[in-house]
Amino acid sequence: MSKFQRHAFVCLNERAPDNPKGCCASKGAQEVFSLLKRHAHEQGLKGRVRVNRAGCLDACDAGVSVVVYPEAVWYAGVTVADVEEIVLEHLVEGRPVERLRGA
Amino acid sequence: MSKFQRHAFVCLNERAPDNPKGCCASKGAQEVFSLLKRHAHEQGLKGRVRVNRAGCLDACDAGVSVVVYPEAVWYAGVTVADVEEIVLEHLVEGRPVERLRGA
C-alpha cells in the first residue's frame, strides 16, 4: 500500500549561522522546496507525487538535500536550477537524475 | 543506493486550533516523534534507521500520521502507546504493525 507513487522530502532544517555543520535552510532549501512543489503541481502530479517538508535529513554537508521514496534516491547540493530536471526526469518519467545523486 | 535501511517520517504539522482539518501536532505528534526517536536509538538503530520530522503528510484526518520508507507503510492515529511496538516490530524486525496501518 502506498498513498503516493513518489514522495519527495526536502530538508528545510535551519541551524544557527555559526554552526559548523551548516544547514540546508542557509543554502536555499525553502526556494528549492517551493519550486519543486510548484513544478510538480504544474505537471499534474498532485495526488500522485507529494513534495514534503522535512527536518534534518542527516546530510548537512551535502545540502540542499532531497530524498525521493520509495526508490530512496538521494540528491545533494540541489539548487533551484536543478528543480525542473528533477521534476521532469524523475518525478514524471521515473528516471533519477544521476548527476545530482549524493554519495 | 539508500542512506538508511529504513526512514520513518512523523507529521508534525500544526494548524490553527479552529481549522476543521485538524492537525497531527494537536494530537501529540511531538511526543510520538520524540519517543520514536529515543526508542530507535535505544535499540541501536542510529545510522541504520532515521526518524525524521516532516511537514504535513496529507493525512490530517488520520493523525498522528507516520510513514516508513522504503516499504511505504502508513500508520494512522499513532499514539505514544504504539511507539514501542512500531520500533520493535517494524523498525527492528521488519514486520509492519498491521493494526496501526492507515487506509
Side-chain angles (χ1 to χ4, degrees):
Chain A
M1 179 194 71
S2 183
K3 197 168 143 60
F4 304 112
Q5 185 182 347
R6 288 196 177 84
H7 202 162
F9 294 88
V10 181
C11 179
L12 288 159
N13 194 45
E14 185 171 2
R15 295 184 195 277
D18 59 349
N19 189 308
K21 288 183 101 169
C23 66
C24 290
S26 71
K27 299 170 190 166
Q30 181 61 54
E31 293 75 12
V32 167
F33 169 75
S34 299
L35 196 61
L36 194 60
K37 199 170 183 79
R38 182 155 66 83
H39 275 312
H41 286 192
E42 285 171 1
Q43 290 297 317
L45 297 176
K46 194 169 161 66
R48 286 189 293 139
V49 173
R50 183 155 183 92
V51 178
N52 228 106
R53 295 171 187 274
C56 180
L57 289 173
D58 195 27
C60 309
D61 295 343
V64 176
S65 297
V66 178
V67 58
V68 181
Y69 284 106
E71 51 266 71
V73 167
W74 287 79
Y75 291 122
V78 178
T79 72
V80 290
D82 302 314
V83 167
E84 188 172 15
E85 188 175 358
I86 292 173
V87 172
L88 295 179
E89 286 295 310
H90 189 170
L91 302 186
V92 173
E93 298 292 342
R95 294 188 293 257
V97 182
E98 296 300 332
R99 71 175 180 86
L100 295 173
R101 291 180 80 151
Chain B
M1 177 196 70
S2 181
K3 197 167 142 61
F4 304 112
Q5 185 181 349
R6 289 196 175 83
H7 202 163
F9 293 88
V10 181
C11 177
L12 287 159
N13 193 45
E14 184 171 4
R15 295 184 194 279
D18 60 349
N19 189 307
K21 289 183 100 171
C23 67
C24 290
S26 71
K27 298 171 190 164
Q30 181 60 55
E31 292 75 12
V32 167
F33 169 75
S34 299
L35 197 61
L36 193 60
K37 200 168 183 79
R38 182 154 65 84
H39 274 311
H41 285 193
E42 285 172 359
Q43 290 299 316
L45 297 175
K46 194 170 163 67
R48 285 188 293 141
V49 173
R50 182 153 183 94
V51 178
N52 229 109
R53 295 171 186 276
C56 181
L57 290 172
D58 196 28
C60 309
D61 295 343
V64 175
S65 296
V66 178
V67 60
V68 181
Y69 284 104
E71 51 265 70
V73 167
W74 286 79
Y75 291 121
V78 178
T79 72
V80 289
D82 302 315
V83 167
E84 188 172 16
E85 189 175 358
I86 291 173
V87 172
L88 294 178
E89 286 296 310
H90 190 169
L91 301 186
V92 173
E93 298 293 341
R95 293 188 294 257
V97 182
E98 297 299 332
R99 70 175 182 86
L100 295 173
R101 290 180 79 151

